[in-house]
Amino acid sequence: MNEQLPPSPEKISYDVGGITISPAVVLAPMEGVTNIVFRRLIRSLGGPGLTYTEFFPSKSIAETQGKVLDEIAFDPEEYPIAIQIFGRDPAVMAEAAAVVQDLGATIVDINMGCPSKKVCARSGGSALMREPELAVEIVRAVRKVVTVPLTVKMRTGYDHDNKNAPELAWRFQEEGVDALTIHWRTKVDLYSGVRDVTPIAEAVQRVKIPVLGNGDVVDVPSAHAMMQETGCAGVMIGRGAVQDPWLLLKIARWMRNEPQPVINARERERVLLLYHEKISEAFGAERAALNRLKMVAKYFAEPLVFGKSFRKAVTRSQETSEALDHIRTYFSLLEAWEAGDLGAFDGTIFDEMEAAA
Ligand SMILES: Cc1cc2nc3c(=O)[nH]c(=O)nc-3n(C[C@H](O)[C@H](O)[C@H](O)COP(=O)(O)O)c2cc1C
């Protein structure tokens, strides 16, 4: 069984402030993606030991303005759930943390990893790694009010000359943080850069609390590499779960030494259409549902044949019906291709897009 896969890790769970996360494979927070519908979908397919919400601005939560509190939706059976907040004002972060704790967060997570303009412009997210004293102050303020486990998600540093994640990891531990996630990129790498997991390994050495490894875990071998090279307690999966919603299940099964699932074109189509149906129900407005569908479709078929053309076709669609037509056509062709018809895509819009690229 699983001869082609690397050996399973010996330990497949970890403890965050008294909560056991098992298996040690976690769905990452992703703005615009990991809403309640996407998280339900991933949980229904199986695999995650823990799911994260998208990030939420501490200021809006603290002031309870707008719809932010409605957006922090999760099911009672979605357990354990980490709710992530961002911001740079310690008092406001503490206030927001208390609110999300009262909403029922199993874990409160502080975002120090996001490189997006929206977050960093207000010097939250990964910009905080450049201001370690403020970062520690935020953690201290939040820890004072939060009784549930507290975690921090960060990058390895702000830039290549300042990979301070190991030092910050230790300081956060001393302030009472229960676990950490470290993405191997720095803030300036955004989503590119040359893979360097050494600072994650150093952080693992420096602290007693669990550290999750994050960044480009897209299959079982990359999950194994992350754990093997860093000694991390588990892996956090972001884009890989959008490309392949069964990825957490695959990693969980690998960890448990169970057979791998086999996913065909029809099953992929079923899951993407189901996602669209559910976001349409949940978000009402057709445009909002189409935008969320596009967000997922951007990654969904990336590793598959003609996947890049699929992405283009769906993301360029002006209307929902157009996007759905592309989805149905693509997966029918993929089914034929999987059945051995290697010319299935010839002369189709996907073929033309690939040729034009
Ligand atoms: C569309 C998108 C949205 C993201 N939103 C968040 C977020 O809300 N909070 C956060 O901490 N990280 C966010 N991230 C970063 C991911 O959680 C993760 O750290 C990063 O994508 C690297 O992991 P991966 O290679 O498995 O995707 C986001 C990433 C993407 C691609």
Side-chain angles (χ1 to χ4, degrees):
M1 196 199 334
N2 296 348
E3 292 89 349
Q4 74 285 16
L5 296 181
S8 308
E10 271 170 32
K11 194 166 181 308
I12 65 161
S13 65
Y14 66 96
D15 187 278
V16 186
I19 312 264
T20 301
I21 307 300
S22 180
V25 52
V26 173
L27 179 67
M30 283 181 286
E31 187 199 13
V33 177
T34 55
N35 52 62
I36 185 169
V37 178
F38 187 81
R39 300 196 314 269
R40 271 185 197 144
L41 185 75
I42 295 292
R43 285 204 182 240
S44 73
L45 299 176
L50 169 67
T51 43
Y52 273 65
T53 64
E54 313 166 62
F55 59 48
F56 294 103
S58 54
K59 195 161 182 293
S60 316
I61 299 171
E63 292 169 0
T64 58
Q65 279 175 357
K67 291 190 299 175
V68 69
L69 293 190
D70 297 334
E71 285 172 24
I72 313 179
F74 56 96
D75 296 317
E77 57 276 17
E78 188 178 4
Y79 177 90
I81 170 107
I83 300 183
Q84 191 190 59
I85 56 173
F86 73 88
R88 66 174 272 113
D89 182 324
V92 174
M93 285 289 278
E95 216 175 310
V99 172
V100 300
Q101 171 172 264
D102 288 348
L103 288 176
T106 324
I107 294 170
V108 173
D109 185 81
I110 300 176
N111 178 316
M112 294 195 193
C114 184
S116 86
K117 283 200 187 104
K118 176 172 136 188
V119 173
C120 288
R122 294 176 228 160
S123 292
S126 55
L128 281 173
M129 297 196 74
R130 224 177 13 179
E131 293 179 83
E133 297 313 319
L134 177 59
V136 169
E137 215 186 302
I138 289 172
V139 165
R140 190 176 299 146
V142 173
R143 181 70 287 178
K144 262 195 200 138
V145 300
V146 161
T147 54
V148 297
L150 173 64
T151 59
V152 175
K153 179 168 177 286
M154 59 182 163
R155 292 191 168 218
T156 49
Y158 188 83
D159 58 28
H160 288 235
D161 297 327
N162 298 287
K163 293 195 180 181
N164 58 350
E167 172 66 14
L168 274 177
W170 183 81
R171 293 190 67 182
F172 292 161
Q173 171 184 268
E174 297 307 292
E175 295 296 337
V177 163
D178 296 295
L180 297 158
T181 304
I182 307 179
H183 176 188
W184 65 256
R185 291 184 173 85
T186 66
K187 193 270 178 199
V188 299
D189 287 328
L190 297 175
Y191 284 95
S192 55
V194 179
R195 184 176 181 276
D196 173 19
V197 297
T198 335
I200 305 181
E202 281 169 26
V204 169
Q205 289 299 318
R206 285 201 65 177
V207 296
K208 295 194 188 77
I209 55 175
V211 176
L212 291 181
N214 172 237
D216 302 287
V217 175
V218 291
D219 51 21
V220 167
S222 49
H224 174 256
M226 180 63 88
M227 295 184 81
Q228 188 78 3
E229 290 167 28
T230 65
C232 63
V235 287
M236 177 183 270
I237 314 284
R239 291 162 299 173
V242 201
Q243 283 175 3
D244 177 3
W246 297 267
L247 178 57
L248 285 94
L249 177 67
K250 290 175 183 171
I251 294 174
R253 289 205 178 165
W254 160 67
M255 286 180 167
R256 297 195 193 105
N257 236 330
E258 292 169 0
Q260 289 289 295
V262 179
I263 314 299
N264 62 25
R266 281 291 166 219
E267 175 62 357
R268 286 183 203 278
E269 177 188 29
R270 183 191 72 79
V271 162
L272 190 54
L273 293 178
L274 178 69
Y275 175 68
H276 179 254
E277 186 190 315
K278 298 293 178 193
I279 39 170
S280 303
E281 282 169 20
F283 294 101
E286 187 183 335
R287 191 54 49 187
L290 178 60
N291 288 341
R292 286 186 164 87
L293 174 68
K294 286 184 181 183
M295 194 71 183
V296 167
K298 255 164 76 175
Y299 301 96
F300 195 76
E302 207 166 291
L304 305 177
V305 63
F306 289 93
K308 287 198 173 59
S309 306
F310 170 81
R311 167 195 175 137
K312 269 190 222 153
V314 177
T315 53
R316 285 178 189 173
S317 298
Q318 297 294 319
E319 301 297 333
T320 304
S321 56
E322 191 187 343
L324 295 181
D325 280 349
H326 286 315
I327 291 171
R328 292 196 185 95
T329 308
Y330 174 81
F331 285 105
S332 293
L333 295 169
L334 186 65
E335 188 179 34
W337 188 87
E338 281 180 352
D341 177 4
L342 299 186
F345 285 89
D346 291 357
T348 64
I349 177 184
F350 304 105
D351 189 25
E352 285 164 20
M353 282 186 170
E354 191 119 317

